[in-house]
Amino acid sequence: MRRHNRTALLRRLHVDGPSTRASLAAELGLNRSTIKALVDGLGEAGVVAERVPAQRSGAGRPSLLVLPQPHAAVVIAIDVRVEQVAMGFVGLGGEILGRDSWNLHNRTRDPGEVITHIVESARLMADDLDVTAVGVGVSVPGVVRRSDGQVHEAPNLHWSGVALGKRLEAVLKLPVQVGNDAELGALAEHVRGAAQSSSDMVYISADVGVGGGVILSGQPLRGAGGYVGELGHMVVRPGGRRCYCGCEGCWETEVGEPALCRALGLPDDAPRGAVVAALRALDDPSLLDEFADWLALGLANIVNILGPELVVLGDLYTALPTSLVDSVGTVVQQRSLVSRAVGGTQVVTSPLGRDAKLIGAAELAFEPVLDAL
Amino acid sequence: MRRHNRTALLRRLHVDGPSTRASLAAELGLNRSTIKALVDGLGEAGVVAERVPAQRSGAGRPSLLVLPQPHAAVVIAIDVRVEQVAMGFVGLGGEILGRDSWNLHNRTRDPGEVITHIVESARLMADDLDVTAVGVGVSVPGVVRRSDGQVHEAPNLHWSGVALGKRLEAVLKLPVQVGNDAELGALAEHVRGAAQSSSDMVYISADVGVGGGVILSGQPLRGAGGYVGELGHMVVRPGGRRCYCGCEGCWETEVGEPALCRALGLPDDAPRGAVVAALRALDDPSLLDEFADWLALGLANIVNILGPELVVLGDLYTALPTSLVDSVGTVVQQRSLVSRAVGGTQVVTSPLGRDAKLIGAAELAFEPVLDAL
């Protein structure tokens, strides 16, 4: 019970930040002497600190403010993207203490090369920051088995059957959790982003490929063997463009980054910066009409199948014009039987932007850490 | 604890049928004296009976066979279809003790008329069978809120905003549970059909409309507000046939009963018997090639999004030629990234056939009953 309360308290501080003893007691349904004992224990372990709040409210002695100490538990978060790897050291409470990133090209996309680079970078950053990490979370754009970090297929990386979790654990000597990028985006939005108050939501990850992470009844949705779905490979345009997955007309081929580039009159493989600049400078919004139609069609399908109350558009989609996102949201509400039933599914862009998967990878790594602190 | 063990024992007998005390003890992890006390208590209440098994195995005194008594708890199961209502009185253990059914036409599809007919028929059957029902389960082809049995929309019935659960409770004076038909088909297959050993499965309900019920990690999948998804309204053919839901090219418009009729050269609204007869007498299987393509495309999408290990084709689809089902299964495995990851999603037809939703409605009604017996 004490262990359970301690973990609940830590999770509350980690997710929502500093809070007074009084608020913590009220929120967790514990009496003040229990909170005091727990906070004192965590304070002695250096996991939290206390201070008198800057602003006093009301009369009487102020309740002390309890602050999570970032260096008390640091995890390594890694976001493997198609064009880039981003890495962050993230402290208790969610602060990103340090970052590194490097571009991937065909040669350096080899799993062995990626692992070597991750390990070297992690060692340098640990030295620079003078911290010892206690866990690792990795986001991969592909079909991933959560139990052991096996990457079954990550087609845009040209990875197949990569034992990423096991291989990283062997060299980093730390517990490693590997998740699908869209699932981790959903986790990040649920914990720190647009979906904090939503228990039924879908996060759409839009990079070169398009994926979806789903939380229903507050739990991540997974299929057989713990695999996460591949929403981007829903066929929406039979006879359409050939996709690397073997099908034609996958949603991803109509709404992924190359499709957006074509709509904007850019080369298929234009750098992200150029795509974002073109979106910001867009004179004629009608250029994106067809793109918006396909986006709305796929989202309406997803809403009809899963029934979320909220869809969060991540990554590249955070650069879409607000008017486009709004009109897509309206179409989804009109077109989906299930949206009408659930009271109108909202479509919004991610406030976490490009960091969503990194944040999600950190939260994945923190899950076992918070239990053990 | 005793209550928990009693419910577990009852559920085991209800689902799997008669069993010896020895097997029950082993399966439930209880010692023989606990089983004896529970069985004696249920025997005194008339819920189970015991007898010496017909076939003795091994030496020594045979373990008594424990049999659930169908009349100890009887529920009313109602399957409201587009063309017909089917009703069954179902006893503990799952035996259908009596049945009734009647056709629906536009006039008699009015919710008030349907409710009146259900109530009259239920009273007559209760008299005939000399039983008192203790609960009611209803299957409806539409968007249903499980908490209170509110039918938000059942488009093929032309129902909208029908408080079916509340209205039936008011007249039947019994607890009423209302579920989406495809969800109840999935429940039936999970408890008594093709998916007894599968915890990640999708049931496809194919009547005039097409729907899907999903079980992942052993739990029914529901979205916000408890609403179940509408898989049949996934758009697979943009610009295709107009669907009553307001979209064009819904999966249902390509693989529902009218589409199958067109492929077979029958009128769109041919009676079910004629459709089944035409399928059985099919000379030229290539007539169904396009239908099979759309079926496979939609199923591959569903598998990519949800990652089940098993898809059960119900209702009308149980009359499809085996060769067609097999080839659709092969295409789904080839086309779906996620099927490949989960080790090859199997596609099979329902062994429960047209009774699946009735059986599912009965199981829905039994859930609270087993807890209370």
Side-chain angles (χ1 to χ4, degrees), chain A residues 143 152-153 200 216 221 223-224 227 229-230 233-236 238 245 247 301 304-307 335 337 340-342, chain B residues 143 152-153 200 216 221 223-224 227 229-230 233-236 238 245 247 294 301 304-307 335 337 340-342:
Chain A
V143 183
H152 182 81
E153 245 179 300
D200 301 287
L216 290 182
L221 185 76
Y227 284 108
E230 285 285 335
H233 294 282
M234 155 177 69
V235 171
V236 293
C245 80
C247 293
N301 280 356
N304 266 333
I305 293 172
L306 297 168
R335 293 257 183 92
L337 265 178
R340 297 198 292 264
V342 307
Chain B
V143 183
H152 183 82
E153 244 179 302
D200 301 288
L216 290 181
L221 185 76
Y227 284 107
E230 285 286 335
H233 295 281
M234 155 177 70
V235 171
V236 294
C245 80
C247 294
W294 289 113
N301 280 357
N304 266 334
I305 292 172
L306 298 167
R335 293 255 185 93
L337 266 177
R340 297 199 290 266
V342 306

Side-chain angles (χ1 to χ4, degrees), chain A residues 105-146:
Chain A
H105 310 286
N106 280 328
R107 193 185 61 75
T108 55
R109 214 173 267 147
D110 167 78
E113 298 263 352
V114 169
I115 289 169
T116 302
H117 201 145
I118 285 172
V119 173
E120 284 171 5
S121 179
R123 286 187 181 144
L124 286 171
M125 286 183 75
D127 284 348
D128 277 0
L129 297 168
D130 192 20
V131 294
T132 304
V134 293
V136 181
V138 192
S139 163
V140 175
V143 183
V144 173
R145 186 168 60 207
R146 277 286 298 278

Side-chain angles (χ1 to χ4, degrees), chain B residues 81 181-190 195 201-206 211-215 231 299 302 308 310-316 318 349-357:
Chain B
R81 298 166 164 268
D181 63 339
E183 183 182 29
L184 296 183
L187 176 64
E189 296 294 339
H190 192 49
M201 64 84 68
V202 175
Y203 171 85
I204 303 294
S205 146
V214 184
I215 289 178
L231 277 59
L299 292 178
I302 289 165
L310 178 69
V311 173
V312 181
L313 302 178
D315 267 333
L316 177 60
T318 59
T349 49
S350 160
L352 304 176
R354 210 164 160 74
D355 277 343
K357 293 154 188 182

Side-chain angles (χ1 to χ4, degrees), chain B residues 269-313:
Chain B
D269 57 352
R272 174 65 60 91
V275 183
V276 172
L279 284 170
R280 296 228 168 102
L282 192 66
D283 276 335
D284 178 7
S286 72
L287 287 177
L288 297 183
D289 282 355
E290 197 185 340
F291 170 86
D293 285 348
W294 289 113
L295 185 59
L297 190 153
L299 292 178
N301 280 357
I302 289 165
V303 170
N304 266 334
I305 292 172
L306 298 167
E309 61 195 347
L310 178 69
V311 173
V312 181
L313 302 178

Side-chain angles (χ1 to χ4, degrees), chain B residues 5 40 47-48 66-67 76 106 111 126 136 154 162 172 195 229 242 283 312 333 337 358:
Chain B
N5 287 339
D40 286 350
V47 175
V48 304
V66 184
L67 302 95
I76 306 175
N106 280 330
V136 181
V162 177
L172 289 171
R242 167 74 55 180
D283 276 335
V312 181
Q333 291 199 0
L337 266 177
L358 195 72

